[in-house]
Amino acid sequence: MKKEKLLELYRMMLLIRRFEERTAQMYGLQKIGGFCHLYIGQEAVAVGTVAALRDDDYFIAAYRDHGHILAKGGDPKAVMAELFGKAGGVSKGKGGSMHLFDVAKGFYGGHGIVAGQIPVATGMAFAAKYRGEDRVTVCSMGEGTVHQGAFHESLNLASLWKLPVIYLIENNRYGMGTPLERASAVWDLSQKACSYDMARATVDGMDVLKVHEVMAEAVERARKLSEPSLIEARTYRFRGHSMSDPVHSHYRTKDEVEEQKTHDPLLKFQSYLLEKKYINEDQIKAYEDEIKTIVKESVDFAENSPEPALEAIYEDVYVE
Amino acid sequence: MAEITFREALNQAMAEEMERDANVFLMGEEVGYYQGAYKVSQGLLERFGPKRVIDTPIAELGFAGLGIGAAQVGLRPIIEFMTWNFSILAMDQIVNNAAKLRYMSGGALKIPVVFRGASGAAHQLGAQHSQSLEAWYCNVPGLIVMAPSTPKDAKGMLKSAIRDDNPVIFIESEVAYGYKGEVPEGEYLVPIGVGDVKRTGKDVTIIAWSKMIHVALEAANMLAQEGIEAEVIDPRTLRPLDEQLLLTSIEKTNRCVIVEEGWPYAGVGAEISHRIYQNAFDHLDAPILRVTSEDVPMPYAKNLEQAVIPSAPKVAAAAKKVLYI
C-alpha cells in the first residue's frame, strides 16, 4: 500500500477515535439519548475493510455503526447531528445512533436487531448479481450474532447461490456482558463457514493492514468469482457495551481491559508509521489538530441544526 | 370477459408484471420446479427461467430478508410464503426491516417488496396451519395490507401491489384459490386503498374481506329470502382502509356487521368498528356486531373446525340481531 493511502487509513482511524470520544462526552451532557454504542478499540476493522472496497460497494452494519459510516465516507457533521436527534442528521433525526444511513456513500445502516442486517445484506448481494454488476456487499456483525438463525439461513443462501457478499464478524469478545466462551460452542468462529462450504479467514482485528489484506482477498473472491466469505476479525472494545454500561464490572476485569489497551489499534498503527518514517511527531500533531477541528465543527453543526419539525412525525412512513 | 380461477388470476398478474419489468422476480418455497405448492406460479419457471423464478430452501427469515435487501437497492421482489403461518418465522424482517427502513433512514430508502401467500383455515389443517394473521400486519405502520376476495380483484390488486414502492402484505385465501370469476381482458389495475361494494342493499351493511366475502354473500342471499337486503362491502385493502366507502354504506343502512376469519381480540374488525363509532355514531341504529373465529387455537376435528370459523348462518343471525328481528 502506498504511503498516501496508509496515511489516509491513519487519519480515518484517528477521526473515528476522536469522534467517539467526543460522542461519549456529548452523551454525558445528555445531548445524545437512547442506546449509544461506541466503536473505540475496533477502528482497524471498519477502516481496513473499507480500504479494500470501491466507493460503489455496499456496506451494512449492526448498531455499533458510527465508525462504519465515517469510514465509508459519511459526513461527520451529519452523523453527529443524527446522534443529537437533529433535522440535519443523516437520517433526519429519525434514526439515531443505531440507525445511521448514507445511501449515496453505499452505507445501508445501522441495524438494531441482532442479525437483522444479515439477510438484508444477502439480498443486496443478490440484487448486484441479478443485475450483472460487480459490486460487493460487506455485512458487519458482532460475534454474538452468529448464534441467530438469520446468520445461518443467510450463509446457506449466499453459498448456495454464490452471492458476492462478505460476512464480517467483529469479534470483540463480549456480547454485552457475555463472553464468547459462555455463548459459543466453538472458539474459532470462522469455522461456521465450513457448514456452508464457504471461504473463511480469521484476522487480527487490531491490525488495520492485516484486516485490509484479508478483506482484499475476500473482495477479490466476491468481485471476480461471485463467491461469499466469512471473515472473523478478533478485536476488543475499550468501552462498555453501550454508554449505559460499565467498561468493566462483573463480566471482565480492569486488568484485562488495560492489557488489551496495549494492543490499541490506533497506537499500534501509529508506531508502525513512525517506525517506517512515513510520519513524524509534527505530522501526528497536525493530524490531531485537523481532526480536532472536524470533530468540533461536527458538534457545532449538531448543536445548531434545528430539531425535526413535528410534521416530520408522519413523513417517510410510506412512499406517497 | 374470461372466467378463470383465483390462482390463475394471481398467476396472470405476476406474469404480466414480470413481462413488464425485468426487476420483478418471484422467490419462495416450491415456486419453480414444483410449480407452486398451490399452483399459483404454474408455468412461470418455464416462461421466465430460474434467474427470476427462484426456489428457496425452507428458510423464511432468510429469504424474506433477502427480498427486503434486494428491494432496498432497486429490485421488486415477490416473496411467496407457502402459507402466512410460516411468515411468523420472518416476522423480524417484515416488522423491523420492511416496515421501518424507510422511516429510520429519513426517507432515503424505499422497499418495494410484495409478500404474498395462502392464509386462513382450509380443511382440518389444525392450529398451526389455519391462521388469519392480517390483524398482526395491520398493526404495523409502514406496511400495506391487501386481501382480495375475487379473481378479478386478485389480479388487479396484485399488479398494483407489485408496482407500489412500499412493502405490501398480500393475503390470499387457501380455499379460494379454486374459486372462479370473470376477469376483464387486457390490462387493468385495482388501486390500493379502494374498497368495493360486492352487493347493494339498504337494510344492513356487512363488511368482510378475502374468503369471508363469500360467507357474507351467502348470508345476504339467506337474508334476501326473508326480505332483508344486505349491502356487502369489501374494503379489499385493510391498511390503508377505505373508510369513506364504509361510512357511506352505514349512513344508508344504519346497521353493521363485520365478518372476520381471524380472532376477535384486537382484530381488524375491532379497528373498523371503532372508526365507524367515531365517525358515524349518530347514523347507527344498533350496536355493531362482529362475527369472527372463536377465540381459540383451531381444533382439528371437522365439526369443531366448522363451529369455530364464521359461517353464513352466523352472519345472517348477526344481521337480524342488529335489525332487532
Side-chain angles (χ1 to χ4, degrees):
Chain A
M1 206 183 289
K2 283 187 180 149
K3 180 184 154 188
E4 290 70 29
K5 185 153 183 185
L6 291 171
L7 294 180
E8 265 177 48
L9 302 193
Y10 173 74
R11 183 183 168 280
M12 183 54 73
M13 287 174 70
L14 188 64
L15 171 63
I16 295 171
R17 175 67 58 92
R18 300 294 174 246
F19 185 94
E20 291 290 66
E21 287 168 351
R22 202 62 194 271
T23 295
Q25 285 176 3
M26 293 298 115
Y27 195 90
L29 294 171
Q30 298 184 321
K31 299 283 184 188
I32 298 168
F35 294 126
C36 184
H37 310 81
L38 301 180
Y39 201 56
I40 295 174
Q42 301 181 214
E43 295 92 341
V45 183
V47 172
T49 298
V50 172
L53 295 177
R54 275 191 339 222
D55 286 349
D56 67 338
D57 288 331
Y58 296 138
F59 202 140
I60 184 167
Y63 45 77
R64 194 180 302 284
D65 59 343
H66 309 173
H68 304 82
I69 191 169
L70 293 173
K72 197 72 173 73
D75 177 6
K77 289 191 180 79
V79 174
M80 189 62 85
E82 187 62 35
L83 302 181
F84 275 50
K86 296 296 189 71
V90 287
S91 309
K92 298 187 194 163
K94 287 158 84 173
S97 165
M98 297 191 286
H99 307 299
L100 304 170
F101 292 83
D102 191 335
V103 171
K105 298 285 183 186
F107 186 72
Y108 284 79
H111 280 253
I113 306 295
V114 172
Q117 76 278 23
I118 307 176
V120 175
T122 310
M124 294 163 78
F126 175 92
K129 183 166 184 171
Y130 185 97
R131 283 195 286 245
E133 300 165 352
D134 68 349
R135 242 187 250 262
V136 171
T137 299
V138 174
C139 177
S140 152
M141 68 195 81
E143 88 292 338
T145 307
V146 303
H147 314 297
Q148 289 275 33
F151 171 84
H152 293 273
E153 292 185 24
S154 297
L155 262 66
N156 183 54
L157 292 172
S159 187
L160 180 68
W161 294 336
K162 292 196 177 304
L163 301 180
V165 58
I166 300 161
Y167 301 104
L168 170 62
I169 302 169
E170 300 194 38
N171 176 4
N172 67 17
R173 302 266 291 276
Y174 296 90
M176 198 166 160
T178 302
L180 180 64
E181 58 270 28
R182 288 210 295 123
S184 182
V186 297
W187 176 254
D188 179 1
L189 294 178
S190 78
Q191 277 183 7
K192 305 277 178 188
C194 302
S195 297
Y196 307 104
D197 195 19
M198 187 184 292
R200 64 176 180 131
T202 303
V203 63
D204 177 1
M206 305 304 254
D207 185 327
V208 67
L209 296 181
K210 285 183 182 158
V211 171
H212 172 263
E213 187 186 333
V214 166
M215 289 305 292
E217 284 172 22
V219 167
E220 171 100 352
R221 193 177 300 123
R223 208 181 308 285
K224 299 276 162 58
L225 307 175
S226 190
E227 286 181 10
S229 305
L230 177 67
I231 309 296
E232 179 196 358
R234 291 190 177 159
T235 179
Y236 198 83
R237 71 170 147 72
F238 294 163
R239 300 296 182 103
H241 167 67
S242 80
M243 283 303 298
S244 333
D245 303 302
V247 174
H248 52 83
S249 62
H250 303 292
Y251 72 99
R252 63 182 188 182
T253 63
K254 191 179 180 189
D255 288 349
E256 178 187 307
V257 177
E258 291 309 316
E259 195 280 325
Q260 285 291 332
K261 282 184 179 172
T262 64
H263 307 291
D264 185 318
L266 178 65
L267 298 180
K268 197 168 166 178
F269 190 43
Q270 188 177 287
S271 303
Y272 169 85
L273 295 173
L274 284 167
E275 206 173 288
K276 290 271 179 188
K277 303 210 184 312
Y278 290 152
I279 198 169
N280 59 37
E281 293 294 346
D282 288 345
Q283 286 166 309
I284 291 172
K285 172 79 171 53
Y287 275 120
E288 287 280 8
D289 289 346
E290 186 215 344
I291 298 290
K292 195 174 174 183
T293 305
I294 291 171
V295 174
K296 184 186 180 304
E297 285 171 356
S298 301
V299 171
D300 292 345
F301 177 83
E303 286 278 15
N304 294 326
S305 177
E307 289 182 328
L310 287 178
E311 297 78 62
I313 288 175
Y314 278 97
E315 287 168 5
D316 299 324
V317 181
Y318 293 96
V319 181
E320 298 299 335
Chain B
M1 294 249 259
E3 196 179 65
I4 61 171
T5 62
F6 203 105
R7 65 163 58 79
E8 286 167 335
L10 294 167
N11 183 286
Q12 286 182 8
M14 290 193 287
E16 287 177 20
E17 293 307 301
M18 289 176 76
E19 203 67 68
R20 181 176 172 268
D21 184 349
N23 286 323
V24 179
F25 67 91
L26 173 65
M27 174 176 281
E29 293 152 3
E30 311 290 5
V31 298
Y33 287 88
Y34 196 86
Q35 307 293 320
Y38 297 95
K39 301 288 173 275
V40 173
S41 57
Q42 190 145 35
L44 295 182
L45 173 66
E46 288 70 19
R47 186 161 164 193
F48 295 102
K51 181 187 166 190
R52 298 181 67 193
V53 180
I54 303 149
D55 285 320
T56 65
I58 302 164
E60 283 84 5
L61 179 63
F63 68 74
L66 187 153
I68 293 163
Q72 79 170 3
V73 294
L75 298 188
R76 307 188 80 84
I78 305 167
I79 302 296
E80 177 174 313
F81 292 121
M82 190 181 288
T83 83
W84 277 97
N85 301 289
F86 313 150
S87 78
I88 298 171
L89 288 144
M91 204 71 171
D92 173 52
Q93 285 297 327
I94 298 171
V95 175
N96 278 317
N97 285 343
K100 293 181 177 58
L101 281 169
R102 177 168 183 78
Y103 197 77
M104 294 193 304
S105 67
L109 297 174
K110 55 183 185 179
I111 315 291
V113 61
V114 176
F115 296 105
R116 50 156 292 273
S119 175
H123 303 288
Q124 293 184 265
L125 301 180
Q128 294 176 335
H129 281 71
S130 302
Q131 302 173 90
S132 297
L133 300 176
E134 50 265 40
W136 291 18
Y137 293 107
C138 280
N139 192 237
V140 182
L143 299 179
I144 287 170
V145 182
M146 303 174 89
S149 62
T150 66
K152 180 184 170 186
D153 286 349
K155 181 174 175 182
M157 287 165 67
L158 183 53
K159 285 167 69 79
S160 290
I162 293 167
R163 291 187 198 185
D164 197 76
D165 279 337
N166 295 291
V168 178
I169 303 295
F170 199 88
I171 294 173
E172 301 152 10
S173 163
E174 186 168 332
V175 296
Y177 280 137
Y179 289 6
K180 285 189 169 174
E182 302 249 300
V183 169
E185 305 287 344
E187 163 123 336
Y188 69 96
L189 296 169
V190 174
I192 291 170
V194 177
D196 189 36
V197 180
K198 293 295 186 217
R199 184 187 195 279
T200 309
K202 61 179 179 14
D203 299 322
V204 57
T205 299
I206 303 175
I207 299 168
W209 55 91
S210 190
K211 180 174 65 187
M212 288 299 118
I213 277 292
H214 304 283
V215 173
L217 289 169
E218 194 187 335
N221 286 338
M222 293 167 69
L223 291 165
Q225 288 169 9
E226 299 183 46
I228 300 162
E229 292 305 324
E231 181 145 289
V232 177
I233 304 282
D234 182 354
R236 300 196 287 198
T237 302
L238 299 175
R239 185 186 182 108
L241 191 64
D242 188 352
E243 209 171 285
Q244 198 48 54
L245 182 75
L246 311 182
L247 296 176
T248 302
S249 179
I250 279 147
E251 284 166 15
K252 177 170 69 171
T253 65
N254 313 113
R255 294 160 205 278
C256 180
V257 172
I258 302 169
V259 190
E260 174 170 13
E261 194 180 336
W263 295 299
Y265 200 123
V268 177
E271 171 69 18
I272 293 175
S273 62
H274 163 74
R275 292 196 190 192
I276 293 168
Y277 283 128
Q278 283 290 304
N279 298 301
F281 187 75
D282 291 340
H283 293 279
L284 286 171
D285 288 342
I288 297 166
L289 278 185
R290 294 167 59 207
V291 180
T292 68
S293 278
E294 298 298 324
D295 201 10
V296 296
M298 186 65 77
Y300 165 73
K302 192 171 187 177
N303 66 322
L304 296 183
E305 179 182 62
Q306 285 174 353
V308 164
I309 58 179
S311 62
K314 282 187 198 171
V315 175
K320 285 162 79 171
K321 200 166 175 188
V322 299
L323 283 156
Y324 297 114
I325 295 170

